[in-house]
Amino acid sequence: MAGEPRSEGGEGPRSEAERPETESETLVTETPETETPETEPETPETESEGPTTESGGPTTESESPTTESESPTTESEGPTTESESPTTESESETAGTLSPAHAPGEVLARVSGVEVRRWWKPLWIEPLSWEVLPGVTGLIGPAGAGKTTLLRLLLGLEKAAAGSVEVLGLRLPGKGAVARTRVGYVPQDLALYPGMNALQLSELHGELHATWQAGELYAKLARWHVPTREPVERLAPLARSLLALGLALSHAPALLLLDLPTALDAAGRTYLLDVLAAERGELPVVIASARPHELEGRCERLALLARGRLRRFASAGDLAAGLVRCELAGDARPELPAGVTCLRAAPAPTGARWWLSGSAAGIAGVRELEGVTEVASPSFEEAYLARLAE
């Protein structure tokens, strides 16, 4: 009967039974009698915890709330882990969206009836419409034709006075900031901070792109022998262009726009294009150049921007379709068959040279003309110059 009142009074009297009774301990156990109402609601919790709390005495009582307070923390970490997993899923979805694999006929970018004005005058004489498809597309034309302006339209950096622009399903310029995170861009003038090196530029781009791959960039620069600790202003033009290309490729873009840098010589531009061909995989690319011979054999389709108009060709071979180069002897200037047009004429060592356009039947008739010594297919650059005259 002596142990029953002690169990009702709380765990303090139980500690007296377990330890030697001393005067100091008696004082300690008698003083918290006023706290008994506080400990009574906790008694069911300590009883549920079993002998472990009894052996621990008051010390375990103070620790048990801590344990209880930690357990909600653990529970709160559980939802945190669950909230992180959707983030990982969303990142994987984003990475899938940025994957360069596209269906053959998928339209990556579309320009419809676009008009750009310069000093209140249209840049092009007619509204421009164009579609970018998977693969490598060459955008060729003389300097000042508007190739850079067209690329800037696809980035949302240029505003059209009329028409619409859509890139990767995003309407521009309203979604330009989002589009620029999914499109890689190498500008013509290589707008890199001159005082920063490759490591610093990588950190800067990492803050701008959620899919930034610093390791991929460093691996590329190592293969290309581009210094990573030298400021941009001290790099050679080719190294600077390779750095810009590496930065444009290292955030898993879904489309790459390359405006061939004017600071490079012919050998540098060729090397840059060779590097791109080796690195791009299945990434769709648009290459703008005023030197069409540099893109010969590199593009699956072409767009010719000249004289205020954009002409599209389904393949690079179509540029020379229906064109022939005709060699004339002496002063012979025969009359051309119906349906055949002389696009361009130039003097030749043996007489004159004409570039003709016409149907297959009309071209066949040219071979029978008097004074014609040779009829052959034009080169890629000759076809380009002939198209400029159309």
Side-chain angles (χ1 to χ4, degrees), residues 1-10 13:
M1 298 297 291
E4 294 178 357
R6 289 182 182 179
S7 60
E8 294 175 357

Side-chain angles (χ1 to χ4, degrees), residues 36-277:
T36 303
E38 298 179 0
T39 58
E40 284 179 358
E42 297 179 358
T43 302
E45 298 180 2
T46 56
E47 288 179 359
S48 64
E49 292 177 358
T52 306
T53 57
E54 292 178 0
S55 62
T59 304
T60 56
E61 288 178 1
S62 62
E63 291 177 359
S64 60
T66 306
T67 307
E68 292 174 2
S69 63
E70 290 176 358
S71 60
T73 305
T74 307
E75 293 175 1
S76 64
E77 290 177 358
T80 304
T81 306
E82 294 175 0
S83 63
E84 289 176 357
S85 58
T87 305
T88 306
E89 292 176 1
S90 63
E91 290 176 358
S92 63
E93 291 174 2
T94 304
T97 304
L98 299 179
S99 173
H102 297 280
E106 181 181 358
V107 178
L108 304 177
R110 179 181 285 110
V111 177
S112 303
V114 165
E115 181 178 317
V116 176
R117 294 182 177 273
R118 291 287 185 269
W119 300 104
W120 302 281
K121 294 182 180 180
L123 179 63
W124 302 302
I125 62 176
E126 63 183 17
L128 186 147
S129 298
W130 186 40
E131 291 182 350
V132 177
L133 303 177
V136 181
T137 302
L139 179 59
I140 57 177
K147 301 183 298 297
T148 298
T149 301
L150 182 54
L151 294 185
R152 287 173 59 85
L153 280 169
L154 299 181
L155 291 165
L157 299 175
E158 189 84 27
K159 187 175 181 181
S164 63
V165 180
E166 183 176 332
V167 176
L168 302 175
L170 302 171
R171 293 294 297 268
L172 304 183
K175 297 291 185 179
V178 179
R180 287 190 289 274
T181 63
R182 300 177 59 187
V183 177
Y185 179 46
V186 181
Q188 189 178 48
D189 54 356
L190 297 179
L192 301 174
Y193 292 103
M196 300 180 70
N197 58 30
L199 302 178
Q200 294 168 330
L201 288 171
S202 177
E203 293 180 2
L204 177 61
H205 282 69
E207 296 177 358
L208 300 175
H209 301 286
T211 57
W212 184 249
Q213 303 168 352
E216 292 291 332
L217 173 63
Y218 300 149
K220 289 181 176 67
L221 297 181
R223 289 197 302 269
W224 304 339
H225 305 287
V226 176
T228 58
R229 298 186 181 276
E230 288 290 329
V232 172
E233 59 189 359
R234 295 183 183 178
L235 296 179
L238 178 57
R240 199 177 306 171
S241 300
L242 291 171
L243 174 57
L245 178 61
L247 293 171
L249 290 175
S250 295
H251 66 278
L255 175 66
L256 177 68
L257 306 179
L258 171 60
D259 200 354
L260 277 177
T262 55
L264 293 178
D265 56 12
R269 289 191 296 271
T270 300
Y271 185 82
L272 182 66
L273 291 172
D274 290 341
V275 168
L276 175 60

Side-chain angles (χ1 to χ4, degrees), residues 273-299:
L273 291 172
D274 290 341
V275 168
L276 175 60
E279 295 287 344
R280 80 171 189 90
E282 298 297 325
L283 177 66
V285 181
V286 176
I287 306 174
S289 175
R291 303 170 179 85
H293 62 277
E294 298 174 344
L295 304 185
E296 184 175 4
R298 300 182 183 272
C299 301

